Amino acid sequence: MKYISTRGNAPVLSFEDAMLAGLARDGGLYVPETVPRMTSADIIGMVGLSYEEIALRVIQPFVGDSFSEAELIDSISVAYAGFNHTARAPLVQLGPNHHLLELFHGPTLAFKDFAMQLIGQLFQRALNRRGERVTIVGATSGDTGAAAIEAFKGLDTVDVFILFPNGKVSEVQRRQMTTQRETNVHAIAMEGTFDTCQAMLKDMFNDFEFRDGVRLAGVNSINWARVLAQVVYYFSSAVALGAPHRKVSFTVPTGNFGDIFAGYIAKRMGLPIDRLVIATNHNDILHRAITTGRYDPSTVTPTITPSMDIQVSSNFERALFDAYDRNGEAIVRLMGELKEGGFGINKEALSILQNYFDSGRATEKETSLTIKSMFESTGEVLCPHSAVGVKVANESLGTAPMITLATAHPAKFPDAVDASMGKRPALPNWLADLFDRSERLTEMPNDLQLMKTLICERIEL
Ligand SMILES: *Cc1c(COP(=O)(O)O)cnc(C)c1O
C-alpha cells in the first residue's frame, strides 16, 4: 500500500513513512493510493468480534508490510487496554432510531484517544526499529494535545511539543496537558486561536531546514494513521446495529474534518452508510461550503464547543482531492486561493461532496437546550460537542438508524454542562485530583522564529 500527496508533488511513501512524516513535503496531505474494499462477507465476519479484532481487520489492509500482523495485534491490544469500557466504543440508545456512540472512555476522555493511543505504539515500534528519535509538534484546540501527551509521555523515541491557544481551552483540557511530569512533553500556551497554532505548525513543516534538523513529525489529524484508526468505530458500531444487512447514518461533530473523513473512508471501503452528516457550531464554514459551494473562512468566534472553533478545516483537503478526481494541481490552485481569502468548489466536485455529506449547525443556545432536554428525556449527559451532533442529527433522522458520535466526556466541559442543565458532571475517579496537580507550561507569542529557537533549546540541538 502506497501513500500519495493531495497536491501531487511529494514522494510516494509507505504507511510507516507517511505516518512518521505527517504532512507531505509539498504542503499536501497523504492519502492511500487506493482504498481497500470490504465485501459483505468481510463485514458479516465482524459480527460478534471484539473492538480490537475489528480494528485489526480494518487497519491491516492499509498498513501493507510496514508492520507485521503480530506487531499490529500487539500495538492494538496495548493501545486500548487503558480504556475504561470493555466495549471501547459502546452504543447508547437515545430514541427510537437514534443512537449515541460513546467515544470518551479513553484516558483523556475524548475520541482523540482512539487514534493517539494507537499511533503512540506504532511510532515507538517504528522508531525503535530504526534507532531514531523524532520531535513531535502538534497544534490543538484542546483535546488533541491532551491525547498526544498522554500517548507519547515517557516514550524514549520522541519529544512532544503541543501548541494550544492561550486562554481558549477548558481548564480540564489545559490541566490534562500541563500537569504531566515527564520531561519529554512540553505544553506551549500560544497567543491567538487554534488556527494561529495550526498555521504556525504548517510553517514549521514547510521550513525544510528546521523540519529535517529537528526531525519533525506530526500527529495532528492530518496524519493519515490517525484518520485510519478512527475508521474502526464506524465499522464496529454499524455492525452492532445490523450492517451490512441494514444501512446506518452517522452525525459527526466536526472541526478539522478528521473524524468525519474516517466515516467517508469507511463508506468508500464498502460499509453501507446512508448519510454522513457534518455537524458544526457557530463557526460553520463546512456547513456553508457544503450548502453553497463557497469555502470562505471568517474570524473564529469562541464557543462552548472549543474543539470545533476552527475556520480552516485541514482534512477537508482530502475530500476535495477525491471530489476533484484526484487532481493535485486543482488542489494546489484552491489552496492558493484560500491563502488569498477563499475559494469556490466547482459544480461537479460540489455535487460529489453533497452525495456523501449532509450538514447542519447548532447555535450556542440550541447546544445548551439539547444538553438539558437529552438529560431530562434520557438521563444521558452530553458534552457540548456531542450536543451539537445530537441537535443536528435530530433534524436528519430518516429510515436508517442514526448514530451520533459523542466525541468527549461531559466532565471535560463542566462549566458549559452545568450552565445548561444545572448539574456539574464529575470527573472519573482516576482524574479526581486533576485540580490539585501542579502545572508546567510555557507562554509564547505568535512568532515562528522564537518558537523554533525554543524547540531547538529544549531538545538540546
Ligand atoms: C477534535 C474534536 C472534535 C472535532 O473533530 P475533527 O476530527 O477535528 O472534525 C469534536 N469534538 C471534540 C470533543 C473533539 O475533541
Side-chain angles (χ1 to χ4, degrees), residues 111-112 143 253-259 307-308 385 407-408:
F111 80 87
K112 306 287 198 299
D143 296 322
T254 296
N256 224 354
F257 209 76
D259 210 4
S307 304
M308 296 158 67
H385 307 78
T407 49

Side-chain angles (χ1 to χ4, degrees), residues 21 33 67 109 135 142 171 177 205 238 252 319 323 338 347 380 385 392 448:
E33 207 164 44
F67 295 95
L109 310 179
T135 304
E171 189 168 1
M177 294 187 273
F205 270 93
V252 186
L338 180 59
K347 235 178 165 173
E380 183 79 12
H385 307 78
V392 171
L448 180 63

